[in-house]
Structure formats: C-alpha cells, structure tokens
Amino acid sequence: MSMKVITKGILGLFTMLLFTIIASGIVHADLIFEPNDDFYYRHSKDCENVERNFTANGPKGNIIVWESPESDKKVDTYVNGTKFSVSYTYTDENNKTWGLVTTNDYTGWVKMKETRVVYDVISFCEEHKGEFQDYKNEFDDYIIGDPIVLWSYPGSGEVTGKIDKLFTNFNFVYVYTDENGQKWGYCADTSTNHWKSRWGYQANWICISDPTNELLPVIEPKQPTIIPTSPANQASNTSEGQGNSGIIFLTIAVALLILITAIVIRVNWKKGPTNEKPQ
Amino acid sequence: MGSGLLTSLVISLVLTILLEEIFAVTVGIRDKRDLILIGLVNVVTNPFVVLVYYLAVLYTSISLLLIIILLEIIAVFVEALYFKNYGKTFRHPFLFSLSANLFSYGIGKIISIIF
C-alpha cells in the first residue's frame, strides 16, 4: 500500500472524527446549556441537571474543587460558607454524588455530601409538602386593588414580582398556612408542566391573607449548621498558592527541557534535506 | 496539583514518542538518526502542548476543542520544520508530521477513553 493511500485514509478518518465531535457539540448546545468540562462531556448521559445554589460545608472547614470525580488535581478550595452554583450532579460507582461547579475561570467537581443546599422553593416544598392543602377558592372573592406581591416561597422575604391585574390562568394548586397563621397560595404557571415534575421554578407564592404587603416577616428555615472554618483551615486555602508555585516550577522546567533539546538537535543534526530514501 | 501535571506530562511524552516512532517505522523510515530526531522533536513540542492545554483549561474559559486544534496545528508545523531542516529521509516532512500527529492523537484519545 502506498504512502499516498495511507495518508488519504488517515486524513479521511480524522476528518470524520472532527466532524463527529463538532456536530455532537452543536446538538448538545442546542438543547441545553452545557458546561465546558471534559468529564461532563464524557459522562453527560449519567449527569443530572440541578441548577441550584449550595454552600460549602466540609467537615474540615472547607471543601476542595477537583478537576473531575476521577482526578486528584485540585482546582480550588472553598471555605465553609462560600456559596456557589451546581449545574449538574454525577453519582459514581461508589454511590458518591459529585456536583459540577462552573465559574468564569474554571469548571470543577465538589463532593455533594460536603455541601448544604441554599434554601429555596424546592427545599421549602420538600419540607412542607405534607402540610399543603387543596385550594378551596379562598382567593376567588379578592378584589384587586394594589399590586399583588409574589414570593419565591412563604417566609422567604424574597419578592419575585408583582401582579397588577388578574390573569385568566391564575391557578392555585396548594394552600399552606405558616407558623404565623398566614395563608399562602401556591400559584403554578399552567403554561408549563414544570411544577409537576419539580417543585416550583415557574411557580410563585401569594400570601392570601395579606396579598399586597411587601414587608411580610422572614421565617428562618431549619437547616444544618455550617461547620465553622478554623484559622488552620483558612490557612490551608493558601495551598492554591503552593499549587501555583508548582505549576510555575514545571513551566520553567518544561521551557528548559525544550531549550536544551532544541540546542541538542541544532548541534548534532546538520541542516539541509538530503532525502536519501523515500518514505 | 503539580504532581498530577508532571504525571500527565511524562505519560503524554512517552506515549507520543512511542506512537510516532511506531508510525515512522511503519511508513518506512529506517534511518537511526531520523528516528532519534523524531523522539527529540517530540520532546520539544509535546510538553509545550500538554502544559499550555493544562494552563488554558485551568485559567481560561476558551473552548477545549479550539485549544486542542490550535496546539496540534502548532505542533504539526514545528515538527515539520524540524524534519525538513534536520531530517535525512523525510520526503514529505509536513505530510509526515501531520500524519504522525493524527495517528498519535487518535490512538491517545482511544487510550484515554478506554482507561
């Protein structure tokens, strides 16, 4: 087989491989935001979309962000209390769940057991779903005056919007009574079925007892306490600096290796093609 | 962090040299000095490619695919220039460099998927 045929074959295979990689990237990007992470690309089918905020809560006062669940390379360290977003989770063969962290500078994986979720509407609905009651037209007679305040969840203190007129698919699916005796209506957006599969992103809560009050009291959720970070743990964050010095050292070593090899070639190999033999 | 990178550098370099030497012998290069040159040229290009890739992943948000393509293009050109200037039996230095790099990259990719 001639060199030409081999070369053509290799080039053909490579072109096919390149187009496959590019095409698969486009399809993924079309469906959902996909993080730029090697491990995620290789295990995307086993990853679950989460998109929730978490707080670092490691037993040693900090958590490590790893390059991947299979890597021993540290990418960053978060002291306990640091908030970050997790886009996807992955459960490995040892049943350990890992969360993918994406920042402007890097992507990395954290052990989910070393995190605490930032209390949100999903947490609220999971905690109180047993207390939810069916809506019994409690809000039907309400005559709208001032704008109705929408909340992320009862007692959150987080206003998500206001409604200044009634709209037709204003659907209460549940009613909840908080510890202060205030009644809340869980108002799902019926244009999507999102609320059926996961509590809430498209839904809002309205305080049926006091719908226009923007200053309703915040009710602190019951959550595990954050393990405090000791000065020693804070000091361990400087390991990033040590990692950087390791990289600087390796960069210098690689530069020297390249330089020495280039000199060796220049000194020992004569310039100029002779083409004594065909390939 | 440094030890992980050092391991990657060493494994990548050893594998690349091995694969490109196999490729060179397969396509008919027998000259001893040319075979040594292939190894040395990879010492020039491979650690650079691995290190820059690693630093780009760590410190930038540039697309990984774009980084790989750019670095491989640089490697192919640098190696081709060395083979052209210092090689004795490379009839088509650029074609050889491109093919050898495609071969080693492809086999390396398969190995990384398997392991």
Side-chain angles (χ1 to χ4, degrees):
Chain A
M1 201 182 290
S2 73
M3 178 70 185
K4 220 172 182 178
V5 175
I6 294 169
T7 310
K8 273 186 180 174
I10 291 168
L11 275 174
L13 279 172
F14 182 73
T15 311
M16 277 166 62
L17 182 72
L18 194 66
F19 274 106
T20 310
I21 293 165
I22 292 169
S24 65
I26 291 165
V27 170
H28 279 284
D30 229 18
L31 295 169
I32 194 165
F33 164 74
E34 303 242 318
N36 197 2
D37 183 85
D38 263 359
F39 183 85
Y40 172 78
Y41 280 133
R42 284 188 279 121
H43 298 87
S44 58
K45 283 180 186 171
D46 303 319
C47 292
E48 189 189 340
N49 188 225
V50 177
E51 304 296 352
R52 290 178 81 184
N53 293 322
F54 291 82
T55 307
N57 195 23
K60 293 177 182 172
N62 57 28
I63 66 168
I64 292 164
V65 185
W66 301 94
E67 187 188 52
S68 84
E70 294 168 348
S71 167
D72 61 351
K73 288 180 196 166
K74 275 187 195 176
V75 174
D76 204 349
T77 307
Y78 296 156
V79 291
N80 282 0
T82 307
K83 286 187 171 61
F84 53 90
S85 176
V86 169
S87 51
Y88 287 85
T89 56
Y90 168 80
T91 304
D92 65 19
E93 63 269 23
N94 300 319
N95 224 21
K96 281 183 188 164
T97 304
W98 297 78
L100 175 57
V101 178
T102 305
T103 73
N104 288 334
D105 301 322
Y106 58 80
T107 59
W109 295 80
V110 296
K111 289 175 186 166
M112 291 306 288
K113 72 171 185 181
E114 296 180 348
T115 67
R116 190 187 81 175
V117 71
V118 173
Y119 202 90
D120 57 10
V121 62
I122 301 170
S123 313
F124 176 84
C125 291
E126 282 170 352
E127 185 184 345
H128 295 283
K129 61 187 171 190
E131 301 161 52
F132 291 171
Q133 293 167 335
D134 290 335
Y135 177 66
K136 290 171 187 161
N137 307 318
E138 288 95 331
F139 202 61
D140 282 6
D141 298 332
Y142 182 77
I143 298 165
I144 197 156
D146 290 333
I148 294 170
V149 182
L150 303 173
W151 301 87
S152 56
Y153 60 87
S156 67
E158 185 192 351
V159 174
T160 55
K162 287 180 188 175
I163 302 168
D164 56 8
K165 59 180 180 181
L166 286 173
F167 53 93
T168 50
N169 56 352
F170 195 71
N171 255 353
F172 287 109
V173 284
Y174 296 113
V175 171
Y176 166 76
T177 306
D178 69 20
E179 60 190 47
N180 300 322
Q182 302 267 41
K183 275 194 171 182
W184 296 78
Y186 184 57
C187 177
D189 176 357
T190 52
S191 62
T192 72
N193 285 326
H194 200 89
W195 64 274
K196 284 181 181 172
S197 54
R198 292 184 57 187
W199 298 101
Y201 281 148
Q202 304 297 323
N204 290 286
W205 287 84
I206 292 170
C207 182
I208 294 172
S209 309
D210 197 357
T212 59
N213 188 354
E214 278 186 73
L215 303 169
L216 291 172
V218 175
I219 301 167
E220 286 300 328
K222 290 166 198 154
Q223 278 206 290
T225 51
I226 294 289
I227 299 161
T229 303
S230 66
N233 290 138
Q234 280 174 339
S236 74
N237 291 319
T238 56
S239 64
E240 185 62 24
Q242 287 164 7
N244 283 341
S245 64
I247 289 174
I248 292 166
F249 173 77
L250 270 175
T251 307
I252 294 167
V254 164
L256 278 174
L257 180 71
I258 292 169
L259 186 69
I260 292 165
T261 313
I263 292 168
V264 167
I265 295 171
R266 198 179 168 84
V267 170
N268 293 292
W269 270 259
K270 283 179 184 172
K271 245 184 171 184
T274 51
N275 297 331
E276 286 171 1
K277 277 189 268 178
Q279 285 166 33
Chain B
M1 193 181 278
S3 64
L5 176 58
L6 183 63
T7 313
S8 294
L9 283 163
V10 173
I11 292 172
S12 301
L13 181 60
V14 171
L15 263 179
T16 307
I17 292 174
L18 191 71
L19 289 166
E20 291 205 14
E21 295 290 359
I22 291 169
F23 181 83
V25 172
T26 309
V27 297
I29 290 179
R30 296 286 184 271
D31 185 276
K32 206 173 157 184
R33 284 178 68 80
D34 276 353
L35 290 173
I36 296 171
L37 180 65
I38 290 167
L40 288 175
V41 164
N42 274 290
V43 176
V44 173
T45 58
N46 187 266
F48 168 79
V49 168
V50 175
L51 186 68
V52 173
Y53 173 79
Y54 186 86
L55 294 177
V57 168
L58 208 57
Y59 297 113
T60 73
S61 53
I62 308 168
S63 153
L64 294 182
L65 187 65
L66 186 70
I67 294 168
I68 291 167
I69 291 172
L70 280 174
L71 288 172
E72 288 296 329
I73 288 171
I74 292 169
V76 166
F77 270 97
V78 171
E79 288 183 23
L81 281 175
Y82 268 103
F83 297 144
K84 186 174 180 243
N85 289 331
Y86 297 104
K88 282 162 73 181
T89 60
F90 298 99
R91 180 170 276 185
H92 304 289
F94 180 81
L95 200 57
F96 173 81
S97 174
L98 179 68
S99 313
N101 276 284
L102 289 177
F103 177 76
S104 63
Y105 180 81
I107 299 290
K109 204 75 192 160
I110 291 166
I111 290 170
S112 71
I113 289 167
I114 294 169
F115 298 103

